[in-house]
Amino acid sequence: MGTFLMGTSEFVVAGLLPDIATDLAVDISDAGLLVTAFAIGMIATPLVAVAALKIPERTTLLVSLAVFAAGHVVVALTDDVTVVLLARFATALVTGAFWSIAASVGARVSGPDNAARAIGLVLSGGILATVIGVPLGSIAGQIMGWRGPFWILAGLAVLAAVPVARFVPGGRSSSTVVPLRSQLASLTSGRLWIVMAACVLVTSAVMSTYSFIAPLLTERSGLSAELLPIGLAIFGVGAVTGTLGSGRFADRAPYATALTGGILVVVSLGLLSLFSEFTVASIALLAVAGMAGLGMNPVLMSMAVRFAEGAPTLATSLCTSMFNLGTAVGSWVTAHAISGSGPVAVPIVGTVFAAALLVPLATLVVVDRSRAASSHAVTEHASVP
């Protein structure tokens, strides 16, 4: 419930950007900074996670929901774009804390053999927001004005706090048993930081495109504004399919699953750059990009948990931070590209980021094969009498 609401909040502005820009009297590229501000706030997730290590998980989740609700009330009440940006930033800080704790708990209770699938299930709340939450938010925005969805999200966050208070166990997280210095030491793995690079680039590619899906589909592809929620929902179906389905493959072949996803992102966004004038083709290619790109998130996060053994919460918070660094960088670059070239630039920027993504993904495959070969050679040598 929590990740669903927070996923909706993060991306609901994608379907509301034209209305927000008009009401606040700013350019569409400036309105896009609402996405960037949220992403920047979530970049600080590791700092929030460290600060909350000794706080009971239930308490952190409840405080996160309370601040989340308050931030949305502020956005709904103000006409000052600066205040809106600051409220989005504050909301993002607690969103990052909520996501990282939820993901680490999911991975821990399910065991290492099912970590990717469990994280995919936790993250599916956020991805499901792209299927249901964001399209419904777009419809609510058309009916109630763009502020309406923010009032609704604030109210639902209060309701979501009730089952969290009732069912999440009290007490401190088991991660507090490991000293912070030891947890930080576990983050020195080279493979972990290759995964972090992949986290940045995959979201730079996919979410920079999704952040400007409204002008892309309505101004470039010719989709009517009334049908935009359908386009958003189809993208979301692809994203949910990838997030839930990738874990099954990733628990068996994580590196091949990630590399395959990266290749599909490059191909789909590359084709979108060529066929963005065609409505049906654009929506279909966006759905493929969402399926492949967002389907990589639980795969990469499960790798991070494995490589940072002993510091699962910090590992998942780092992933959350890097995902949102990618969103911030990608949306900022895309906003500037739109200012110069219009919506046609959206998938082109995404394709460039997607091509760069293949470098860390291929590196992970090479490193894994090299380690496997070395391990096999050591085993054979040890077996010689």
Side-chain angles (χ1 to χ4, degrees), residues 13-301:
V13 296
L16 303 173
L17 279 184
D19 293 336
I20 294 174
T22 300
D23 190 45
L24 299 181
V26 296
D27 294 334
I28 192 76
S29 58
D30 292 331
L33 292 176
L34 270 69
V35 178
T36 306
F38 197 99
I40 291 174
M42 289 191 69
I43 291 170
T45 294
L47 298 178
V48 180
V50 169
L53 276 177
K54 294 186 177 181
I55 300 174
E57 292 169 339
R58 181 172 62 193
T59 300
T60 303
L61 296 175
L62 290 174
V63 170
S64 297
L65 286 168
V67 175
F68 177 89
H72 284 72
V73 170
V74 171
V75 171
L77 290 174
T78 187
D79 291 319
D80 189 327
V81 68
T82 301
V83 175
V84 171
L85 290 173
L86 290 174
R88 291 286 288 171
F89 177 80
T91 303
L93 288 176
V94 296
T95 295
F98 194 100
W99 280 60
S100 61
I101 290 173
S104 67
V105 169
R108 184 170 65 251
V109 301
S110 62
D113 293 337
N114 297 297
R117 193 178 306 179
I119 292 173
L121 183 60
V122 171
L123 297 184
S124 69
I127 304 304
L128 188 61
T130 62
V131 181
I132 300 174
V134 174
L136 287 180
S138 179
I139 294 172
Q142 293 176 6
I143 297 172
M144 307 167 60
W146 70 268
R147 299 175 193 273
F150 287 88
W151 283 114
I152 294 171
L153 286 168
L156 291 178
V158 174
L159 292 178
V162 176
V164 169
R166 172 66 179 83
F167 294 108
V168 175
R172 292 180 177 179
S173 167
S174 61
S175 62
T176 60
V177 175
V178 181
L180 177 59
R181 181 176 297 180
S182 299
Q183 294 194 50
L184 293 175
S186 69
L187 302 182
T188 58
S189 165
R191 289 188 296 171
L192 174 67
W193 291 102
I194 297 174
V195 171
M196 293 302 109
C199 289
V200 172
L201 290 170
V202 70
T203 47
S204 294
V206 177
M207 298 317 297
S208 66
T209 304
Y210 181 72
S211 296
F212 293 92
I213 192 173
L216 175 65
L217 290 180
T218 58
E219 298 177 24
R220 177 68 179 172
S221 302
L223 183 70
S224 67
E226 292 77 14
L227 295 178
L228 179 60
I230 296 177
L232 294 170
I234 293 174
F235 175 92
V237 169
V240 170
T241 301
T243 302
L244 292 177
S246 63
R248 296 181 179 276
F249 299 101
D251 286 325
R252 297 192 300 269
Y255 306 103
T257 301
L259 183 58
T260 301
I263 293 171
L264 284 174
V265 173
V266 173
V267 172
S268 57
L269 291 180
L271 290 175
L272 181 61
S273 300
L274 298 175
F275 298 105
S276 60
E277 289 184 294
F278 302 94
T279 305
V280 175
S282 294
I283 293 174
L285 290 168
L286 283 166
V288 174
M291 178 186 69
L294 297 184
M296 289 172 59
N297 289 1
V299 182
L300 295 172
M301 194 172 279

Side-chain angles (χ1 to χ4, degrees), residues 263-358:
I263 293 171
L264 284 174
V265 173
V266 173
V267 172
S268 57
L269 291 180
L271 290 175
L272 181 61
S273 300
L274 298 175
F275 298 105
S276 60
E277 289 184 294
F278 302 94
T279 305
V280 175
S282 294
I283 293 174
L285 290 168
L286 283 166
V288 174
M291 178 186 69
L294 297 184
M296 289 172 59
N297 289 1
V299 182
L300 295 172
M301 194 172 279
S302 66
M303 287 184 193
V305 169
R306 185 165 68 253
F307 296 154
E309 184 177 356
T313 299
L314 286 181
T316 55
S317 68
L318 273 174
C319 285
T320 302
S321 179
M322 295 300 105
F323 287 143
N324 286 276
L325 175 61
T327 301
V329 171
S331 61
W332 183 81
V333 172
T334 305
H336 282 269
I338 289 176
S339 297
S341 305
V344 67
V346 174
I348 295 174
V349 173
T351 303
V352 173
F353 281 118
L357 168 66
L358 297 182

